[in-house]
Amino acid sequence: MDLGHGTGWVVFSERYMIAFRPDPMPIEVGEPVSLIMNVCTKSGDAAELVKVGAERLDAKTPSQHLKVSGGADGRYRVDGLSFLAPGRWEIEFDVRSAEGSEELTHEIVVK
């Protein structure tokens, strides 16, 4: 699950592991950000990233629905994300495979 720069986050559940990093780094408030991702089952098989969303938790903003591309060997790029204000943001990942579907979340604090 190498993301190419040795930095990022890992989210996992009973069935899935998601490793991701922002591009560019560091995250700048109000600037567009992409997510470079690897998505797989705990057994190491590629999983399908169905959709990704983001919302600010501090001031309930409408969820951002992002564009998912790629998918070969569980590698994805997600575009269209913008952290419009500092605060607590939740990233939502919908993942599926032969093992089933699941929603995973990860909180990011943007300063």
Side-chain angles (χ1 to χ4, degrees), residues 29-30 56 64 82-86 89:
V29 172
R56 186 168 167 226
Q64 297 180 46
S82 182
F83 295 102
L84 302 173
W89 288 80

Side-chain angles (χ1 to χ4, degrees), residues 33-45:
V33 176
S34 297
L35 300 176
I36 308 302
M37 304 181 62
N38 288 344
V39 183
C40 67
T41 64
K42 283 268 186 110
S43 61
D45 298 322

Side-chain angles (χ1 to χ4, degrees), residues 17-36:
M17 289 179 36
I18 300 173
F20 67 103
R21 69 170 172 83
D23 181 36
M25 287 189 301
I27 294 170
E28 297 289 337
V29 172
E31 296 296 319
V33 176
S34 297
L35 300 176
I36 308 302

Side-chain angles (χ1 to χ4, degrees), residues 68-72 75-77:
V68 176
S69 58
R75 298 177 187 274
Y76 292 89
R77 180 180 180 94

Side-chain angles (χ1 to χ4, degrees), residues 5-110:
H5 291 283
T7 192
W9 298 282
V10 177
V11 179
F12 57 92
S13 68
E14 265 188 54
R15 290 184 261 194
Y16 298 106
M17 289 179 36
I18 300 173
F20 67 103
R21 69 170 172 83
D23 181 36
M25 287 189 301
I27 294 170
E28 297 289 337
V29 172
E31 296 296 319
V33 176
S34 297
L35 300 176
I36 308 302
M37 304 181 62
N38 288 344
V39 183
C40 67
T41 64
K42 283 268 186 110
S43 61
D45 298 322
E48 180 183 2
L49 182 63
V50 179
K51 73 177 182 178
V52 178
E55 68 179 347
R56 186 168 167 226
L57 298 175
D58 298 0
K60 284 294 187 186
T61 58
S63 184
Q64 297 180 46
H65 299 284
L66 311 174
K67 180 183 176 209
V68 176
S69 58
D73 297 324
R75 298 177 187 274
Y76 292 89
R77 180 180 180 94
V78 176
D79 295 304
L81 178 58
S82 182
F83 295 102
L84 302 173
R88 295 174 39 237
W89 288 80
E90 184 174 78
I91 311 294
E92 305 154 350
F93 308 98
D94 286 344
V95 181
R96 73 177 165 208
S97 70
E99 296 180 21
S101 298
E102 195 168 329
E103 182 180 283
L104 290 80
T105 61
H106 185 73
E107 187 176 307
I108 296 174
V109 177
V110 177

